């Protein structure tokens, strides 16, 4: 039973085409690039661009994790947008990584050294690699081909979100509030999925 019934929104959400979600979510990236080129991202535009792209990726990963709890606890069905949220999260992760590779580090040998020696980069790269099979199977053909294994494979999303939040926590020196809030959001959304918690709610 939904804790808060917002199911009245569903007829309106069904009218929103998925392509519109892709288009709207893609827009911040070129705008951020424009700001970086024109000085709108401050005195360190490359670092600022990396940060903003990474934050957008984390927002979208968290948004993807909210789809099931919203349906279960509020009656809001956003399942038709979950693929868009996941693919656009990868879009921002890929841009975040490309900014680091092409604009920040640039030297191939230094890239590998950073991945190996800097734990926060190792964690971030692990999250990116986990996303690759998810993106490769985010299509109807893969869903039909994999059957029940598709759902099991896409539980890697949970690990990706945790690694993304941990990457942010480790990136910031010391315990800062903003990255910890993101980590708490990811952990809280994953706790809502625990089987024991679902059983308790079912019989409450």
């Amino acid at each position: 039973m939904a804790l808060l019934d917002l199911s009245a929104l569903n007829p309106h959400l069904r009218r929103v085409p998925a392509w519109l979600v892709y288009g709207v979510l893609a827009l911040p990236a070129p705008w951020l690039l424009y700001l970086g080129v024109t000085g709108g991202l401050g005195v360190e535009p490359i670092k600022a661009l990396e940060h903003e792209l990474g934050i957008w990726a984390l927002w979208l990963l968290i948004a993807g994790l909210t789809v099931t709890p919203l349906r279960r606890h509020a009656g809001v069905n956003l399942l038709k947008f979950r693929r868009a949220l996941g693919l656009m999260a990868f879009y921002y992760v890929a841009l975040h990584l490309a900014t680091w590779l092409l604009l920040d580090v640039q030297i191939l040998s230094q890239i590998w050294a950073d991945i190996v020696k800097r734990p926060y980069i190792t964690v971030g790269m692990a999250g990116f690699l986990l996303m690759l099979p998810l993106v490769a199977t985010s299509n109807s053909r893969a869903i039909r081909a994999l059957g029940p294994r598709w759902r099991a494979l896409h539980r890697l999303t949970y690990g990706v979100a945790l690694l993304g939040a941990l990457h942010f926590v480790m990136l910031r020196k010391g315990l800062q509030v903003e990255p910890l809030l993101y980590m708490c959001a990811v952990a809280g959304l994953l706790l809502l999925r625990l089987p024991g918690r679902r059983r308790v709610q079912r019989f409450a």
Side-chain angles (χ1 to χ4, degrees), residues 4-65:
L4 177 65
D5 188 7
L6 298 176
S7 58
L9 295 173
N10 291 332
H12 304 289
L13 292 170
R14 280 195 289 270
R15 297 192 191 101
V16 179
W19 62 262
L20 181 61
V21 176
Y22 284 101
V24 170
L25 292 179
L27 289 175
W31 173 246
L32 288 170
L33 181 59
Y34 169 77
L35 290 178
V37 171
T38 58
L41 291 181
V43 295
E44 294 188 312
I46 293 175
K47 291 293 185 184
L49 182 60
E50 281 181 42
H51 172 75
E52 294 298 331
L53 292 170
I55 287 295
W56 267 97
L58 199 47
W59 284 343
L60 291 170
L61 286 170
I62 291 172
L65 292 180

Side-chain angles (χ1 to χ4, degrees), residues 34-101:
Y34 169 77
L35 290 178
V37 171
T38 58
L41 291 181
V43 295
E44 294 188 312
I46 293 175
K47 291 293 185 184
L49 182 60
E50 281 181 42
H51 172 75
E52 294 298 331
L53 292 170
I55 287 295
W56 267 97
L58 199 47
W59 284 343
L60 291 170
L61 286 170
I62 291 172
L65 292 180
T66 65
V67 171
T68 296
L70 279 174
R71 185 181 57 167
R72 185 177 297 146
H73 302 297
V76 179
N77 191 345
L78 298 173
L79 283 175
K80 68 178 286 188
F81 306 120
R82 185 157 60 183
R83 182 184 301 181
L85 293 171
L87 290 175
M88 295 312 295
F90 178 77
Y91 167 72
Y92 280 97
V93 169
L95 289 176
H96 173 72
L97 178 59
T99 302
W100 175 68
L101 291 174

Side-chain angles (χ1 to χ4, degrees), residues 50 96-125 128:
E50 281 181 42
H96 173 72
L97 178 59
T99 302
W100 175 68
L101 291 174
L102 302 177
L103 300 180
D104 191 352
V105 182
Q106 298 182 343
I107 303 170
L108 184 60
S109 59
Q110 184 61 43
I111 290 170
W112 178 247
D114 281 353
I115 292 172
V116 172
K117 294 180 181 179
R118 298 177 186 268
Y120 72 89
I121 296 179
T122 307
V123 167
M125 189 61 67
F128 172 74

Side-chain angles (χ1 to χ4, degrees), residues 157-189:
T157 303
Y158 309 154
V160 171
L162 280 172
L163 289 171
L166 181 60
H167 171 70
F168 191 20
V169 171
M170 296 172 71
L171 177 63
R172 294 291 183 88
K173 292 181 171 62
L175 295 178
Q176 297 188 24
V177 173
E178 185 187 7
L180 290 176
L181 287 176
Y182 284 109
M183 177 59 81
C184 288
V186 171
L189 287 166

